[in-house]
Every structure is written in structure tokens, then in C-alpha cells.
Amino acid sequence: MSRRSGILEFAVLGLLREAPMHGYELRKRLNTSLGIFRAFSYGTLYPCLKTLVANGWLIEEPGSAPEDALAASLAGRRAKIVYRLTAEGKEHFEELLSHTGPDTWEDEHFAARFAFFGQTERDVRMRVLEGRRSRLEERLDKMRASLARTRERLDDYTLELQRHGMESVEREVRWLNELIESERAGRDQRRPSPEGTAQQDYTSGATGGLPRHQGAESSGGTPPEGSTPPDPSDDTAK
């Protein structure tokens, strides 16, 4: 399985965990909620869905409205198929959510993982955020070293482009620092107070761990600039 297809399968399972959907709904959600999938087609989505069905992680069901199925039949078209997550699919998605290896720190995979942080355990969120920050700090060091070596040979426009790239990475590192500090603060709030009373966990929900100025939108969207974080044709069963 390619890295790209693995990210798509992860995102599809995550969206279907929220509610069953048909293919067009899934494609729309992937395009709008997860910007990393803006440039993909049904030709990419349907093989992914078929693979997930074959693995037992999804099941196909006919559309819920009988009149729609009848109308489609009279028009010579097949009824829309709704995809539903199975118990095995939910278990598999939860296993994927717990994964914190180096691939979760890469641009596209991180954006998809961040979109589902509301469903991710706090300790896992922390490891992914810290891994992503470490990866970007390594990238930033290499960019600075490269710029120092080549600065004299670059024209003004190329130099400005290099600076812009560095600033984008620096901006994401600052954003990650804020998220990590917020996660740590939330974890401290969970510890028992000196009187032995447990503190409320303020970061267990969909916006858990986010700095206040970011709001709920950031938990389900695409990370800021520098982290690539993310045609209504007939949707018939393939």
C-alpha cells in the first residue's frame, strides 16, 4: 500500500466513524474538511472503498429512501450505495489512531491525523505533536545551512523564496509549541489538587488541547500555512 492510499483509507474510516455516507458525501467531506484531498477523483476513492469493504472494515448498504431507489431504477440508474463502518473497521481505525511512528509526522499524514485529534488519546496527540515539531526543527536546520552555503549565488527572488519557506516552517513550529504547551497544561489540570479533588479534564473533547484563540475550527481543519496538516456527478455503485 502506498503512503497516499494509506492516508486516504485512514481519512475515510475516520469520517465514516462519524456517520454512514455515500461516495459523493465522502468525496465532499474529504475535499472541504481535509484540504489535503482537494485534487483527487472518484477513480481514487472507489478503489479505496472497495478495498475497505473487502477487508471487512466497511459494509455497503442501499440508500435509505425507497423512493430514491425506485426513481433511480426507472431512470435506468443504480441506487446510491451507503458505506457504513463495521465493528472491525472501528477497531482498525482506533489502532491507526494509536500509531505514532515517523510517518505520522510527515506533511500529508500529519494533516490527516490532526483532523481527527478530537478522537485521539491525549498521550498519542502529544507524541504526534512532539514528533512533528522535531521533524520540522530538523528541516529548518537543513534549510538554514543550505541558505548559508548558497546565499552568495542566489538572485534576490530565489533568496526571497528561500526565506519565505523558512518563515513558513518557523511559523508552524511556533504553532506546534502552543499546542504542546496547551496539551501539557490540560494534563496538569487532570492531576489531583493538593486537597485530593480531581480537576476537570478540559481537553478531552473535540477541541481538546487547542489554544483558546484557535477555537473549535482548528481541530477539524487543516493546519496553518507551512503544513500541507487539510463535480457533483452521479454517485452510483461501482
Side-chain angles (χ1 to χ4, degrees):
M1 179 194 303
S2 70
R3 176 177 295 176
R4 180 75 173 179
S5 63
I7 298 170
L8 179 57
E9 289 185 6
F10 172 83
V12 167
L13 291 172
L15 290 175
L16 290 176
R17 189 185 186 188
E18 299 172 5
M21 302 181 203
H22 56 70
Y24 175 67
E25 289 175 309
L26 271 170
R27 182 171 182 251
K28 185 176 180 181
R29 288 291 305 278
L30 289 165
N31 284 339
T32 57
S33 302
L34 303 175
I36 57 173
F37 295 108
R38 286 193 185 102
F40 87 110
S41 65
Y42 285 113
T44 303
L45 176 59
Y46 277 104
C48 172
L49 290 170
K50 294 302 182 185
T51 297
L52 295 176
V53 169
N55 288 338
W57 297 329
L58 302 182
I59 58 174
E60 297 178 329
E61 299 176 338
S64 58
E67 62 273 15
D68 291 346
L70 177 59
S73 177
L74 293 174
R77 293 184 289 110
R78 298 170 68 184
K80 290 180 179 178
I81 297 296
V82 171
Y83 295 91
R84 183 185 297 275
L85 196 65
T86 64
E88 292 81 4
K90 181 179 179 181
E91 182 179 350
H92 179 63
F93 180 68
E94 289 172 353
E95 289 176 2
L96 295 176
L97 278 181
S98 68
H99 179 56
T100 59
D103 58 324
T104 66
W105 311 336
E106 301 299 336
D107 295 342
E108 289 187 345
H109 206 146
F110 174 76
R113 286 300 301 268
F114 187 81
F116 295 100
F117 260 24
Q119 304 178 44
T120 305
E121 294 291 332
R122 181 194 309 276
D123 290 344
V124 175
R125 294 198 302 257
M126 281 290 291
R127 290 196 294 273
V128 173
L129 290 171
E130 289 174 341
R132 174 66 175 174
R133 181 176 63 179
S134 176
R135 177 59 49 84
L136 290 183
E137 287 173 341
E138 293 174 4
R139 185 182 300 175
L140 197 55
D141 287 342
K142 292 178 181 177
M143 294 172 75
R144 287 169 176 160
S146 175
L147 184 60
R149 289 194 307 270
T150 61
R151 180 187 299 270
E152 304 265 335
R153 303 193 298 272
L154 298 178
D155 61 58
D156 291 344
Y157 294 102
T158 304
L159 184 59
E160 193 60 32
L161 186 62
Q162 295 285 329
R163 288 173 176 163
H164 174 69
M166 288 177 55
E167 288 171 0
S168 296
V169 177
E170 289 169 345
R171 188 159 51 247
E172 188 179 348
V173 170
R174 290 194 297 269
W175 174 70
L176 289 166
N177 285 336
E178 290 182 7
L179 289 173
I180 290 168
E181 288 307 310
S182 294
E183 292 285 352
R184 286 175 177 162
R187 183 170 56 192
D188 291 341
Q189 288 172 344
R190 294 183 64 193
R191 295 173 182 169
S193 63
E195 293 77 17
T197 303
Q199 298 294 319
Q200 181 179 0
D201 177 9
Y202 293 102
T203 59
S204 60
T207 57
L210 291 179
R212 287 188 182 181
H213 67 273
Q214 297 212 211
E217 296 171 358
S218 296
S219 68
T222 305
E225 182 180 355
S227 65
T228 305
D231 65 42
S233 57
D234 264 345
D235 173 35
T236 57
K238 302 297 182 190

